[in-house]
Each structure stands twice: as structure tokens, then as C-alpha cells.
Amino acid sequence: MQQQLSELEIIEHINNRQCFTATIIGGAFTLKIAEYLPAMSAAIHDGGNLRASLSENCLLDQTSRYYEEDPYTGSFIQEQTITLIAHDSRYEYDLNRNTQECVYETAWGKDIWQTPLTSEEVNESKAKHAQFYRIVAAIVEALVEDFGQCIVYDNHSYNYKRHERQDLPVFNLGTSSVKSDKWRPVIERWLHDLQSMQVDGIDVTAAENDIFYGKGYLAGFCHGKYDNVLVLATETKKVFMDELTGAPDSVVLPSLQTQYNNTVAKHTQWYISEFKN
């Protein structure tokens, strides 16, 4: 049974530099800290949970919602030392939008709710969003305090069949909100490590600011608030699943899960040993 902790308990554990794994009370996300290193891995759209009161009012079934979510991204980072994996659907509140804009009325051209959400429902979702970012801040500030700087691997996936282009990259790194050139060696190394990944069943390509530009809120929050934090906003093309049916690819997915975890770990060790020194 997964340990459940309140927000205050989680922050107290972080402030005391305790190692732990816990799901926040209510189930919105799980945080694992196995060791305090200057790197955190996040999968903020991994989940699809929608609280009952919203589910009953939602015009979109679970399959339709799943299409715009980022399934399996949590598994790409699950072996990392510090992981923050969200379990709620972005249709409840989108963690890659700011708190005031995180609750959709319409999204991707579709109406979402049979009847408009009440202010109480909207506020409950916004409160969960704000809580998540208080936890992000607690983690990042602890790492900066201990190490002077840190990196955040911000992991997403994207649908590609609706695009006309046939040459979309398997991995896209968005860096538009990065403020300082000091991070360029870390960015270049991450692109190199992504490009070097050997994944069964696909030819890997990696690009910077090709189809996405890293304009999501996790990157904006960290880059706007902290000078010594780099967010590597990385989108993985949904080559590991059928984006229309949701079915996983039995060859690509397990290989990608292994290789992505190995690549994050390798890049983190390089960052600790080479860049920070």
C-alpha cells in the first residue's frame, strides 16, 4: 500500500531531507525521493483520473480524454532518483497551464462539460494545481539550496498522425523559455543523448524547438522563478503506442521505457560530474 501524506508532511520531509515515496492525500500525484541529487524527473500528464463529480458531467469519454494525455511517460522516468508523477487528467486541471487558466471549458475544439462547472468545482481544481506547484517549489528550492542549481526533466508525449509532416522528430526539446546561455552545454548533451538512444522498432531522431518550443507552465514556472534551474521540456512522439486506439506497441514501448530511463540516468551523471564542476 502506497504511503499517503499531506502537503505539509511532504514539505516537512523535503525540508528535513528525508528520502521517501508517497502519494499525496487525495491521490493527485506521487513523489519519490530516493536520494537528494540536483535533478528531478516529472511526468505531469501521465495520469487520467477525473474526480467523480466531474466525470459525470464530462462530454468526453475516457478514450477521448486519453488521446490528449501522455500515457506511459511516468514509466519513462520511474527508475530515476527523484520523480514527480501526476495521476489526474489534464481535463480536470492542466498542469502545463498557469493556475488561472488550468481549467478548460473547451479544449482542442471540443466542448468538455454538459453543464458549466460551478465556481466551487473550478476552485477545487485550481487548488489542486496550486498545491502541485507548491510541491515543485519545495523540491527545486531544496535542490538549489544543497547544490547551487538543478535540472528538471519535464516529460511529455505528442500525437503526430494529425500533422501533415512526415519527418517529425521522435524527441523534441523545447527551450524557448531558457534565459541563460550557461545551460547550452547541458541542452546540447541532452539532445546528443536522446539522438544516441537505440530503441527497438524505430529510428530515433531528436530536434530542438521543431514542433514544440517548451512554452508549458512547468518550464515557465521554474525559469521565471529561479535563475539556477533548467527545465528540459521533452516531447516524445507517440511511436510507442497507437495514438488513435491507445494500444501500446509491444516492441517499441518496453525498449523505449528501458532506454529512456537509462538515458536520463546517464545524462544526470554527466551533469553532476562534468557540468556542475
Side-chain angles (χ1 to χ4, degrees):
M1 181 82 177
Q2 183 70 62
Q3 172 180 213
Q4 291 204 347
L5 295 176
S6 69
E7 175 187 343
L8 290 178
E9 288 171 324
I10 289 174
I11 291 175
E12 183 178 7
H13 278 33
I14 294 168
N15 290 342
N16 292 331
R17 302 301 190 268
Q18 292 177 250
C19 294
F20 67 101
T21 300
T23 298
I24 194 158
I25 292 172
F29 59 83
T30 298
L31 171 62
K32 177 187 74 177
I33 302 180
E35 181 183 356
Y36 284 83
L37 297 177
M40 175 178 77
S41 297
I44 66 174
H45 287 155
D46 180 71
N49 294 343
L50 197 63
R51 63 183 190 267
S53 62
L54 298 185
S55 181
E56 294 164 1
N57 188 31
C58 189
L59 291 167
L60 305 178
D61 61 19
Q62 189 171 12
T63 301
S64 299
R65 298 195 302 270
Y66 196 71
Y67 178 73
E68 297 295 355
E69 290 160 350
D70 297 349
Y72 303 108
T73 50
S75 70
F76 297 168
I77 59 167
Q78 65 185 9
E79 296 176 16
Q80 304 314 306
T81 303
I82 302 176
T83 62
L84 183 60
I85 299 175
H87 305 310
D88 288 341
S89 173
R90 68 192 307 184
Y91 287 97
E92 184 167 336
Y93 52 94
D94 193 329
L95 287 166
N96 230 13
R97 304 257 180 136
N98 67 51
T99 302
Q100 291 308 309
E101 298 176 336
C102 71
V103 180
Y104 295 120
E105 294 179 6
T106 62
W108 295 280
K110 296 179 180 179
D111 292 330
I112 300 174
W113 311 112
Q114 297 179 51
T115 59
L117 299 183
T118 66
S119 59
E120 290 79 11
E121 288 171 326
V122 171
N123 289 337
E124 182 175 349
S125 294
K126 288 181 177 180
K128 294 175 81 172
H129 180 283
Q131 180 183 65
F132 181 89
Y133 276 95
R134 289 194 294 271
I135 298 297
V136 170
I139 301 165
V140 166
E141 288 167 15
L143 300 183
V144 171
E145 182 178 327
D146 289 357
F147 302 102
Q149 57 180 256
C150 73
I151 53 178
V152 177
Y153 299 94
D154 175 22
N155 301 282
H156 299 266
S157 62
Y158 77 95
N159 298 311
Y160 64 96
K161 293 180 179 178
R162 59 189 173 193
H163 295 278
E164 291 184 6
R165 277 181 57 191
Q166 301 299 307
D167 62 342
L168 293 170
V170 172
F171 301 111
N172 181 95
L173 174 61
T175 60
S176 67
S177 66
V178 177
K179 294 185 294 186
S180 174
D181 288 339
K182 73 179 181 180
W183 296 113
R184 180 45 52 180
V186 185
I187 291 168
E188 294 291 347
R189 179 70 181 212
W190 180 234
L191 284 166
H192 171 269
D193 288 349
L194 289 171
Q195 182 68 65
S196 301
M197 207 181 297
Q198 299 293 315
V199 179
D200 294 342
I202 59 170
D203 294 322
V204 171
T205 54
E208 182 178 0
N209 298 327
D210 185 336
I211 182 171
F212 298 101
Y213 302 91
K215 294 182 179 180
Y217 187 62
L218 181 56
F221 175 84
C222 291
H223 291 152
K225 193 174 176 67
Y226 309 106
D227 291 333
N228 291 323
V229 178
L230 171 67
V231 177
L232 295 167
T234 307
E235 297 269 357
T236 302
K237 190 178 183 180
K238 286 186 179 177
V239 290
F240 53 88
M241 61 183 290
D242 186 320
E243 67 186 52
L244 300 177
T245 67
D249 187 293
S250 62
V251 173
V252 178
L253 179 60
S255 179
L256 181 58
Q257 288 167 325
T258 298
Q259 294 303 317
Y260 201 100
N261 271 288
N262 290 346
T263 300
V264 175
K266 179 174 73 171
H267 185 264
T268 298
Q269 287 306 310
W270 170 85
Y271 169 68
I272 292 170
S273 62
E274 300 291 334
F275 182 75
K276 285 191 75 271
N277 294 333

PDB file of all heavy atoms in Angstrom, residues 52-81:
ATOM      1  N   ALA A  52     -15.133  12.087  -9.436  1.00  0.00           N
ATOM      2  CA  ALA A  52     -16.461  11.588  -9.803  1.00  0.00           C
ATOM      3  C   ALA A  52     -17.420  12.696 -10.212  1.00  0.00           C
ATOM      4  O   ALA A  52     -18.160  12.561 -11.198  1.00  0.00           O
ATOM      5  CB  ALA A  52     -17.042  10.785  -8.646  1.00  0.00           C
ATOM      6  N   SER A  53     -17.422  13.807  -9.487  1.00  0.00           N
ATOM      7  CA  SER A  53     -18.369  14.882  -9.787  1.00  0.00           C
ATOM      8  C   SER A  53     -18.136  15.466 -11.174  1.00  0.00           C
ATOM      9  O   SER A  53     -19.079  15.906 -11.842  1.00  0.00           O
ATOM     10  CB  SER A  53     -18.276  15.981  -8.724  1.00  0.00           C
ATOM     11  OG  SER A  53     -16.974  16.563  -8.716  1.00  0.00           O
ATOM     12  N   LEU A  54     -16.879  15.462 -11.627  1.00  0.00           N
ATOM     13  CA  LEU A  54     -16.571  15.965 -12.969  1.00  0.00           C
ATOM     14  C   LEU A  54     -16.814  14.904 -14.031  1.00  0.00           C
ATOM     15  O   LEU A  54     -17.282  15.207 -15.131  1.00  0.00           O
ATOM     16  CB  LEU A  54     -15.124  16.441 -13.028  1.00  0.00           C
ATOM     17  CG  LEU A  54     -14.729  17.601 -12.104  1.00  0.00           C
ATOM     18  CD1 LEU A  54     -13.292  18.015 -12.375  1.00  0.00           C
ATOM     19  CD2 LEU A  54     -15.668  18.791 -12.268  1.00  0.00           C
ATOM     20  N   SER A  55     -16.510  13.672 -13.712  1.00  0.00           N
ATOM     21  CA  SER A  55     -16.674  12.582 -14.672  1.00  0.00           C
ATOM     22  C   SER A  55     -18.133  12.462 -15.129  1.00  0.00           C
ATOM     23  O   SER A  55     -18.416  12.245 -16.318  1.00  0.00           O
ATOM     24  CB  SER A  55     -16.203  11.271 -14.049  1.00  0.00           C
ATOM     25  OG  SER A  55     -16.336  10.215 -14.956  1.00  0.00           O
ATOM     26  N   GLU A  56     -19.048  12.625 -14.202  1.00  0.00           N
ATOM     27  CA  GLU A  56     -20.473  12.523 -14.522  1.00  0.00           C
ATOM     28  C   GLU A  56     -20.933  13.654 -15.448  1.00  0.00           C
ATOM     29  O   GLU A  56     -21.927  13.510 -16.159  1.00  0.00           O
ATOM     30  CB  GLU A  56     -21.287  12.556 -13.230  1.00  0.00           C
ATOM     31  CG  GLU A  56     -21.051  11.336 -12.334  1.00  0.00           C
ATOM     32  CD  GLU A  56     -21.546  11.545 -10.914  1.00  0.00           C
ATOM     33  OE1 GLU A  56     -22.087  12.638 -10.633  1.00  0.00           O
ATOM     34  OE2 GLU A  56     -21.387  10.627 -10.083  1.00  0.00           O
ATOM     35  N   ASN A  57     -20.202  14.760 -15.444  1.00  0.00           N
ATOM     36  CA  ASN A  57     -20.589  15.929 -16.223  1.00  0.00           C
ATOM     37  C   ASN A  57     -19.772  16.072 -17.508  1.00  0.00           C
ATOM     38  O   ASN A  57     -19.988  16.996 -18.285  1.00  0.00           O
ATOM     39  CB  ASN A  57     -20.407  17.187 -15.353  1.00  0.00           C
ATOM     40  CG  ASN A  57     -20.953  18.449 -15.983  1.00  0.00           C
ATOM     41  OD1 ASN A  57     -21.923  18.407 -16.736  1.00  0.00           O
ATOM     42  ND2 ASN A  57     -20.320  19.577 -15.709  1.00  0.00           N
ATOM     43  N   CYS A  58     -18.859  15.140 -17.740  1.00  0.00           N
ATOM     44  CA  CYS A  58     -17.925  15.286 -18.856  1.00  0.00           C
ATOM     45  C   CYS A  58     -18.509  14.712 -20.142  1.00  0.00           C
ATOM     46  O   CYS A  58     -19.031  13.587 -20.163  1.00  0.00           O
ATOM     47  CB  CYS A  58     -16.606  14.591 -18.527  1.00  0.00           C
ATOM     48  SG  CYS A  58     -15.307  14.918 -19.730  1.00  0.00           S
ATOM     49  N   LEU A  59     -18.423  15.473 -21.230  1.00  0.00           N
ATOM     50  CA  LEU A  59     -18.922  15.044 -22.535  1.00  0.00           C
ATOM     51  C   LEU A  59     -17.976  14.062 -23.218  1.00  0.00           C
ATOM     52  O   LEU A  59     -18.377  13.363 -24.152  1.00  0.00           O
ATOM     53  CB  LEU A  59     -19.124  16.266 -23.437  1.00  0.00           C
ATOM     54  CG  LEU A  59     -20.263  17.217 -23.071  1.00  0.00           C
ATOM     55  CD1 LEU A  59     -20.133  18.514 -23.852  1.00  0.00           C
ATOM     56  CD2 LEU A  59     -21.612  16.555 -23.325  1.00  0.00           C
ATOM     57  N   LEU A  60     -16.730  14.022 -22.780  1.00  0.00           N
ATOM     58  CA  LEU A  60     -15.723  13.178 -23.414  1.00  0.00           C
ATOM     59  C   LEU A  60     -15.552  11.886 -22.621  1.00  0.00           C
ATOM     60  O   LEU A  60     -15.398  11.917 -21.401  1.00  0.00           O
ATOM     61  CB  LEU A  60     -14.380  13.913 -23.481  1.00  0.00           C
ATOM     62  CG  LEU A  60     -14.395  15.278 -24.162  1.00  0.00           C
ATOM     63  CD1 LEU A  60     -13.012  15.911 -24.099  1.00  0.00           C
ATOM     64  CD2 LEU A  60     -14.858  15.169 -25.613  1.00  0.00           C
ATOM     65  N   ASP A  61     -15.572  10.764 -23.328  1.00  0.00           N
ATOM     66  CA  ASP A  61     -15.341   9.507 -22.633  1.00  0.00           C
ATOM     67  C   ASP A  61     -13.847   9.342 -22.359  1.00  0.00           C
ATOM     68  O   ASP A  61     -13.013  10.135 -22.805  1.00  0.00           O
ATOM     69  CB  ASP A  61     -15.904   8.322 -23.412  1.00  0.00           C
ATOM     70  CG  ASP A  61     -15.270   8.153 -24.790  1.00  0.00           C
ATOM     71  OD1 ASP A  61     -14.163   8.708 -25.034  1.00  0.00           O
ATOM     72  OD2 ASP A  61     -15.868   7.466 -25.626  1.00  0.00           O
ATOM     73  N   GLN A  62     -13.512   8.295 -21.635  1.00  0.00           N
ATOM     74  CA  GLN A  62     -12.128   8.108 -21.206  1.00  0.00           C
ATOM     75  C   GLN A  62     -11.185   7.949 -22.398  1.00  0.00           C
ATOM     76  O   GLN A  62     -10.061   8.461 -22.376  1.00  0.00           O
ATOM     77  CB  GLN A  62     -12.019   6.884 -20.290  1.00  0.00           C
ATOM     78  CG  GLN A  62     -10.663   6.737 -19.619  1.00  0.00           C
ATOM     79  CD  GLN A  62     -10.650   5.661 -18.559  1.00  0.00           C
ATOM     80  OE1 GLN A  62     -11.583   4.877 -18.463  1.00  0.00           O
ATOM     81  NE2 GLN A  62      -9.610   5.622 -17.751  1.00  0.00           N
ATOM     82  N   THR A  63     -11.634   7.282 -23.449  1.00  0.00           N
ATOM     83  CA  THR A  63     -10.802   7.098 -24.636  1.00  0.00           C
ATOM     84  C   THR A  63     -10.492   8.429 -25.302  1.00  0.00           C
ATOM     85  O   THR A  63      -9.358   8.676 -25.721  1.00  0.00           O
ATOM     86  CB  THR A  63     -11.495   6.160 -25.638  1.00  0.00           C
ATOM     87  OG1 THR A  63     -11.728   4.897 -25.019  1.00  0.00           O
ATOM     88  CG2 THR A  63     -10.648   5.963 -26.889  1.00  0.00           C
ATOM     89  N   SER A  64     -11.480   9.304 -25.380  1.00  0.00           N
ATOM     90  CA  SER A  64     -11.266  10.624 -25.984  1.00  0.00           C
ATOM     91  C   SER A  64     -10.297  11.455 -25.154  1.00  0.00           C
ATOM     92  O   SER A  64      -9.448  12.158 -25.696  1.00  0.00           O
ATOM     93  CB  SER A  64     -12.598  11.357 -26.118  1.00  0.00           C
ATOM     94  OG  SER A  64     -13.488  10.644 -26.959  1.00  0.00           O
ATOM     95  N   ARG A  65     -10.429  11.380 -23.841  1.00  0.00           N
ATOM     96  CA  ARG A  65      -9.513  12.124 -22.975  1.00  0.00           C
ATOM     97  C   ARG A  65      -8.094  11.559 -23.076  1.00  0.00           C
ATOM     98  O   ARG A  65      -7.116  12.307 -23.095  1.00  0.00           O
ATOM     99  CB  ARG A  65      -9.994  12.093 -21.519  1.00  0.00           C
ATOM    100  CG  ARG A  65     -11.361  12.738 -21.310  1.00  0.00           C
ATOM    101  CD  ARG A  65     -11.638  13.017 -19.841  1.00  0.00           C
ATOM    102  NE  ARG A  65     -11.589  11.829 -18.995  1.00  0.00           N
ATOM    103  CZ  ARG A  65     -12.629  11.058 -18.720  1.00  0.00           C
ATOM    104  NH1 ARG A  65     -13.831  11.329 -19.251  1.00  0.00           N
ATOM    105  NH2 ARG A  65     -12.505  10.001 -17.929  1.00  0.00           N
ATOM    106  N   TYR A  66      -8.011  10.257 -23.158  1.00  0.00           N
ATOM    107  CA  TYR A  66      -6.713   9.571 -23.216  1.00  0.00           C
ATOM    108  C   TYR A  66      -5.886  10.045 -24.402  1.00  0.00           C
ATOM    109  O   TYR A  66      -4.655  10.133 -24.330  1.00  0.00           O
ATOM    110  CB  TYR A  66      -6.994   8.067 -23.331  1.00  0.00           C
ATOM    111  CG  TYR A  66      -5.840   7.139 -23.028  1.00  0.00           C
ATOM    112  CD1 TYR A  66      -5.374   6.973 -21.738  1.00  0.00           C
ATOM    113  CD2 TYR A  66      -5.249   6.381 -24.045  1.00  0.00           C
ATOM    114  CE1 TYR A  66      -4.347   6.085 -21.451  1.00  0.00           C
ATOM    115  CE2 TYR A  66      -4.225   5.492 -23.767  1.00  0.00           C
ATOM    116  CZ  TYR A  66      -3.775   5.351 -22.466  1.00  0.00           C
ATOM    117  OH  TYR A  66      -2.758   4.475 -22.197  1.00  0.00           O
ATOM    118  N   TYR A  67      -6.561  10.377 -25.487  1.00  0.00           N
ATOM    119  CA  TYR A  67      -5.876  10.815 -26.707  1.00  0.00           C
ATOM    120  C   TYR A  67      -5.013  12.042 -26.459  1.00  0.00           C
ATOM    121  O   TYR A  67      -3.927  12.179 -27.026  1.00  0.00           O
ATOM    122  CB  TYR A  67      -6.926  11.094 -27.796  1.00  0.00           C
ATOM    123  CG  TYR A  67      -6.353  11.609 -29.100  1.00  0.00           C
ATOM    124  CD1 TYR A  67      -5.664  10.751 -29.957  1.00  0.00           C
ATOM    125  CD2 TYR A  67      -6.498  12.933 -29.482  1.00  0.00           C
ATOM    126  CE1 TYR A  67      -5.138  11.206 -31.154  1.00  0.00           C
ATOM    127  CE2 TYR A  67      -5.985  13.398 -30.677  1.00  0.00           C
ATOM    128  CZ  TYR A  67      -5.297  12.533 -31.505  1.00  0.00           C
ATOM    129  OH  TYR A  67      -4.779  12.985 -32.686  1.00  0.00           O
ATOM    130  N   GLU A  68      -5.476  12.955 -25.612  1.00  0.00           N
ATOM    131  CA  GLU A  68      -4.738  14.198 -25.363  1.00  0.00           C
ATOM    132  C   GLU A  68      -3.862  14.120 -24.113  1.00  0.00           C
ATOM    133  O   GLU A  68      -3.230  15.108 -23.737  1.00  0.00           O
ATOM    134  CB  GLU A  68      -5.709  15.379 -25.239  1.00  0.00           C
ATOM    135  CG  GLU A  68      -6.509  15.675 -26.503  1.00  0.00           C
ATOM    136  CD  GLU A  68      -5.653  16.137 -27.683  1.00  0.00           C
ATOM    137  OE1 GLU A  68      -4.432  16.328 -27.502  1.00  0.00           O
ATOM    138  OE2 GLU A  68      -6.209  16.273 -28.795  1.00  0.00           O
ATOM    139  N   GLU A  69      -3.844  12.959 -23.473  1.00  0.00           N
ATOM    140  CA  GLU A  69      -2.988  12.793 -22.306  1.00  0.00           C
ATOM    141  C   GLU A  69      -1.660  12.156 -22.728  1.00  0.00           C
ATOM    142  O   GLU A  69      -1.448  11.854 -23.902  1.00  0.00           O
ATOM    143  CB  GLU A  69      -3.735  11.980 -21.238  1.00  0.00           C
ATOM    144  CG  GLU A  69      -4.883  12.785 -20.631  1.00  0.00           C
ATOM    145  CD  GLU A  69      -5.949  11.940 -19.933  1.00  0.00           C
ATOM    146  OE1 GLU A  69      -5.913  10.693 -20.069  1.00  0.00           O
ATOM    147  OE2 GLU A  69      -6.834  12.542 -19.285  1.00  0.00           O
ATOM    148  N   ASP A  70      -0.774  11.983 -21.770  1.00  0.00           N
ATOM    149  CA  ASP A  70       0.575  11.488 -22.072  1.00  0.00           C
ATOM    150  C   ASP A  70       0.837  10.151 -21.378  1.00  0.00           C
ATOM    151  O   ASP A  70       1.706  10.044 -20.505  1.00  0.00           O
ATOM    152  CB  ASP A  70       1.626  12.508 -21.619  1.00  0.00           C
ATOM    153  CG  ASP A  70       1.523  13.835 -22.355  1.00  0.00           C
ATOM    154  OD1 ASP A  70       0.784  13.911 -23.352  1.00  0.00           O
ATOM    155  OD2 ASP A  70       2.188  14.793 -21.934  1.00  0.00           O
ATOM    156  N   PRO A  71       0.080   9.107 -21.752  1.00  0.00           N
ATOM    157  CA  PRO A  71       0.252   7.815 -21.090  1.00  0.00           C
ATOM    158  C   PRO A  71       1.664   7.266 -21.258  1.00  0.00           C
ATOM    159  O   PRO A  71       2.328   7.532 -22.262  1.00  0.00           O
ATOM    160  CB  PRO A  71      -0.777   6.926 -21.790  1.00  0.00           C
ATOM    161  CG  PRO A  71      -1.068   7.600 -23.097  1.00  0.00           C
ATOM    162  CD  PRO A  71      -0.920   9.062 -22.833  1.00  0.00           C
ATOM    163  N   TYR A  72       2.096   6.544 -20.259  1.00  0.00           N
ATOM    164  CA  TYR A  72       3.386   5.855 -20.201  1.00  0.00           C
ATOM    165  C   TYR A  72       4.568   6.779 -19.915  1.00  0.00           C
ATOM    166  O   TYR A  72       5.671   6.288 -19.666  1.00  0.00           O
ATOM    167  CB  TYR A  72       3.667   5.046 -21.484  1.00  0.00           C
ATOM    168  CG  TYR A  72       2.607   4.031 -21.801  1.00  0.00           C
ATOM    169  CD1 TYR A  72       1.729   4.218 -22.869  1.00  0.00           C
ATOM    170  CD2 TYR A  72       2.449   2.892 -21.025  1.00  0.00           C
ATOM    171  CE1 TYR A  72       0.736   3.302 -23.147  1.00  0.00           C
ATOM    172  CE2 TYR A  72       1.457   1.961 -21.296  1.00  0.00           C
ATOM    173  CZ  TYR A  72       0.599   2.176 -22.366  1.00  0.00           C
ATOM    174  OH  TYR A  72      -0.384   1.261 -22.638  1.00  0.00           O
ATOM    175  N   THR A  73       4.380   8.089 -19.942  1.00  0.00           N
ATOM    176  CA  THR A  73       5.530   8.969 -19.691  1.00  0.00           C
ATOM    177  C   THR A  73       6.075   8.795 -18.278  1.00  0.00           C
ATOM    178  O   THR A  73       7.270   8.978 -18.053  1.00  0.00           O
ATOM    179  CB  THR A  73       5.176  10.442 -19.950  1.00  0.00           C
ATOM    180  OG1 THR A  73       3.968  10.774 -19.259  1.00  0.00           O
ATOM    181  CG2 THR A  73       4.988  10.699 -21.433  1.00  0.00           C
ATOM    182  N   GLY A  74       5.212   8.427 -17.344  1.00  0.00           N
ATOM    183  CA  GLY A  74       5.703   8.144 -15.995  1.00  0.00           C
ATOM    184  C   GLY A  74       6.656   6.959 -15.985  1.00  0.00           C
ATOM    185  O   GLY A  74       7.646   6.946 -15.236  1.00  0.00           O
ATOM    186  N   SER A  75       6.381   5.975 -16.834  1.00  0.00           N
ATOM    187  CA  SER A  75       7.242   4.785 -16.887  1.00  0.00           C
ATOM    188  C   SER A  75       8.590   5.091 -17.524  1.00  0.00           C
ATOM    189  O   SER A  75       9.560   4.358 -17.299  1.00  0.00           O
ATOM    190  CB  SER A  75       6.548   3.659 -17.653  1.00  0.00           C
ATOM    191  OG  SER A  75       6.446   3.949 -19.038  1.00  0.00           O
ATOM    192  N   PHE A  76       8.675   6.163 -18.304  1.00  0.00           N
ATOM    193  CA  PHE A  76       9.948   6.537 -18.925  1.00  0.00           C
ATOM    194  C   PHE A  76      10.954   7.048 -17.894  1.00  0.00           C
ATOM    195  O   PHE A  76      12.158   7.100 -18.173  1.00  0.00           O
ATOM    196  CB  PHE A  76       9.745   7.630 -19.983  1.00  0.00           C
ATOM    197  CG  PHE A  76       8.889   7.234 -21.154  1.00  0.00           C
ATOM    198  CD1 PHE A  76       8.433   8.202 -22.038  1.00  0.00           C
ATOM    199  CD2 PHE A  76       8.539   5.917 -21.384  1.00  0.00           C
ATOM    200  CE1 PHE A  76       7.635   7.857 -23.124  1.00  0.00           C
ATOM    201  CE2 PHE A  76       7.745   5.561 -22.468  1.00  0.00           C
ATOM    202  CZ  PHE A  76       7.297   6.546 -23.342  1.00  0.00           C
ATOM    203  N   ILE A  77      10.461   7.463 -16.733  1.00  0.00           N
ATOM    204  CA  ILE A  77      11.341   8.065 -15.723  1.00  0.00           C
ATOM    205  C   ILE A  77      11.270   7.352 -14.372  1.00  0.00           C
ATOM    206  O   ILE A  77      11.918   7.780 -13.414  1.00  0.00           O
ATOM    207  CB  ILE A  77      10.995   9.554 -15.515  1.00  0.00           C
ATOM    208  CG1 ILE A  77       9.535   9.705 -15.065  1.00  0.00           C
ATOM    209  CG2 ILE A  77      11.277  10.354 -16.787  1.00  0.00           C
ATOM    210  CD1 ILE A  77       9.172  11.082 -14.544  1.00  0.00           C
ATOM    211  N   GLN A  78      10.516   6.278 -14.278  1.00  0.00           N
ATOM    212  CA  GLN A  78      10.196   5.716 -12.970  1.00  0.00           C
ATOM    213  C   GLN A  78      11.420   5.216 -12.201  1.00  0.00           C
ATOM    214  O   GLN A  78      11.387   5.085 -10.977  1.00  0.00           O
ATOM    215  CB  GLN A  78       9.183   4.584 -13.112  1.00  0.00           C
ATOM    216  CG  GLN A  78       9.684   3.368 -13.873  1.00  0.00           C
ATOM    217  CD  GLN A  78       8.587   2.330 -14.090  1.00  0.00           C
ATOM    218  OE1 GLN A  78       7.413   2.570 -13.833  1.00  0.00           O
ATOM    219  NE2 GLN A  78       8.972   1.159 -14.581  1.00  0.00           N
ATOM    220  N   GLU A  79      12.519   4.935 -12.899  1.00  0.00           N
ATOM    221  CA  GLU A  79      13.713   4.440 -12.224  1.00  0.00           C
ATOM    222  C   GLU A  79      14.625   5.559 -11.743  1.00  0.00           C
ATOM    223  O   GLU A  79      15.671   5.283 -11.136  1.00  0.00           O
ATOM    224  CB  GLU A  79      14.484   3.504 -13.164  1.00  0.00           C
ATOM    225  CG  GLU A  79      13.711   2.246 -13.538  1.00  0.00           C
ATOM    226  CD  GLU A  79      14.459   1.397 -14.546  1.00  0.00           C
ATOM    227  OE1 GLU A  79      15.680   1.611 -14.716  1.00  0.00           O
ATOM    228  OE2 GLU A  79      13.825   0.524 -15.162  1.00  0.00           O
ATOM    229  N   GLN A  80      14.240   6.809 -11.992  1.00  0.00           N
ATOM    230  CA  GLN A  80      15.118   7.917 -11.603  1.00  0.00           C
ATOM    231  C   GLN A  80      15.063   8.161 -10.094  1.00  0.00           C
ATOM    232  O   GLN A  80      14.165   7.691  -9.398  1.00  0.00           O
ATOM    233  CB  GLN A  80      14.752   9.172 -12.378  1.00  0.00           C
ATOM    234  CG  GLN A  80      14.776   9.002 -13.886  1.00  0.00           C
ATOM    235  CD  GLN A  80      16.024   8.267 -14.380  1.00  0.00           C
ATOM    236  OE1 GLN A  80      17.159   8.666 -14.077  1.00  0.00           O
ATOM    237  NE2 GLN A  80      15.828   7.177 -15.124  1.00  0.00           N
ATOM    238  N   THR A  81      16.025   8.901  -9.606  1.00  0.00           N
ATOM    239  CA  THR A  81      16.203   9.085  -8.166  1.00  0.00           C
ATOM    240  C   THR A  81      15.103   9.940  -7.556  1.00  0.00           C
ATOM    241  O   THR A  81      14.602   9.649  -6.463  1.00  0.00           O
ATOM    242  CB  THR A  81      17.580   9.724  -7.898  1.00  0.00           C
ATOM    243  OG1 THR A  81      18.594   8.881  -8.466  1.00  0.00           O
ATOM    244  CG2 THR A  81      17.831   9.868  -6.412  1.00  0.00           C
TER     245      THR A  81
END
